[in-house]
Amino acid sequence: MSETARSKRVLPDGCMDLLWDGGSLSVAGPDTRAFMAAGTAEPVRAMGVRLAPGVGPVVFGVPADELTDQRVALAALLPARRVAELAERVAVAGDTAAAGAALEEVAAGLLARSAAAPGPWPGAAVAALDGGLGVAATARLLGWSERQFRRRSVAAFGYGPKTLGRVLRLQRAVRLAAEPAAEVAARAGYADQAHMAREVRDLAGVPWTELLAGFG
């Protein structure tokens, strides 16, 4: 995917990303606030593979909270020689589609070679929280205490389940953006429209109307 001079607001979503900037590989950790990705003066072949919540730590071999709100070189997490070989696979791809496929293969290869496995619980936790279940109820669903749930969430998602729930609720609101704001607030799970306005400004960094204008 090419990038231009226009910057892009990347909303938090609980995911981690493997990124290619046209010359090197890097990792985007889980965000707690919107990240402004700067554009470039000239189009470049920049792209990324988004890893589902809980998968990134398995792929990169570090707890998610060590990368929260950070962008780091992949070589800071894995042996430099290995990263150079992986970067070469993407660099030699003939076009954007081929480079994207190569990047996906790199991510899949890192996951396949990991000694750990994501397990089913991160997906179950995300589904429950995204469905509107509270932290305590989700912990019970998983068979844990709230303290256990928080500890595991911080390592898997980069932050506790309460923050993850807020992030997922923002994503629900964005998916409903075509509806009137009051309807979005109700359907996304906010107490009211004022609650949504506060949360959007806190997580996205701009008011709801400005956030929507950026999607245009």
Side-chain angles (χ1 to χ4, degrees):
M1 176 175 66
S2 295
E3 295 290 343
T4 65
R6 182 181 179 182
S7 60
K8 179 180 180 181
R9 185 178 303 276
V10 181
L11 298 178
D13 58 5
C15 299
M16 295 173 67
D17 301 276
L18 176 63
L19 305 175
W20 171 254
D21 64 3
S24 62
L25 293 166
S26 61
V27 176
D31 291 321
T32 58
R33 300 289 187 275
F35 174 78
M36 292 303 298
T40 57
E42 298 294 334
V44 297
R45 192 168 68 180
M47 59 194 68
V49 173
R50 183 145 294 175
L51 304 172
V55 175
V58 178
V59 171
F60 304 122
V62 296
D65 57 306
E66 292 188 13
L67 300 175
T68 301
D69 291 323
Q70 296 186 56
R71 271 66 181 161
V72 301
L74 184 60
L77 307 176
L78 300 176
R81 174 177 290 184
R82 185 180 182 192
V83 172
E85 292 173 352
L86 297 175
E88 182 65 14
R89 295 183 195 177
V90 184
V92 299
D95 55 30
T96 299
L103 188 62
E104 290 180 357
E105 290 176 1
V106 166
L110 289 173
L111 178 60
R113 294 178 184 178
S114 173
W121 81 263
V126 168
L129 293 169
D130 195 34
L133 206 61
V135 172
T138 301
R140 288 194 297 271
L141 178 69
L142 297 171
W144 300 331
S145 68
E146 288 187 56
R147 180 176 295 181
Q148 287 175 311
F149 185 25
R150 187 183 188 286
R151 184 176 66 250
R152 290 173 181 257
S153 293
V154 168
F157 307 127
Y159 29 70
K162 184 176 181 180
T163 297
L164 178 61
R166 295 176 65 215
V167 165
L168 295 173
R169 187 170 52 193
L170 173 63
Q171 289 292 331
R172 289 199 299 276
V174 169
R175 293 195 296 270
L176 296 166
E179 303 291 334
E183 181 72 12
V184 172
R187 292 182 60 190
Y190 294 100
D192 50 33
Q193 190 173 338
H195 180 208
M196 182 178 77
R198 292 192 299 272
E199 287 284 285
V200 168
R201 183 181 286 276
D202 187 35
L203 294 173
V206 293
W208 177 247
T209 53
E210 186 174 338
L211 179 63
L212 296 189
F215 296 152

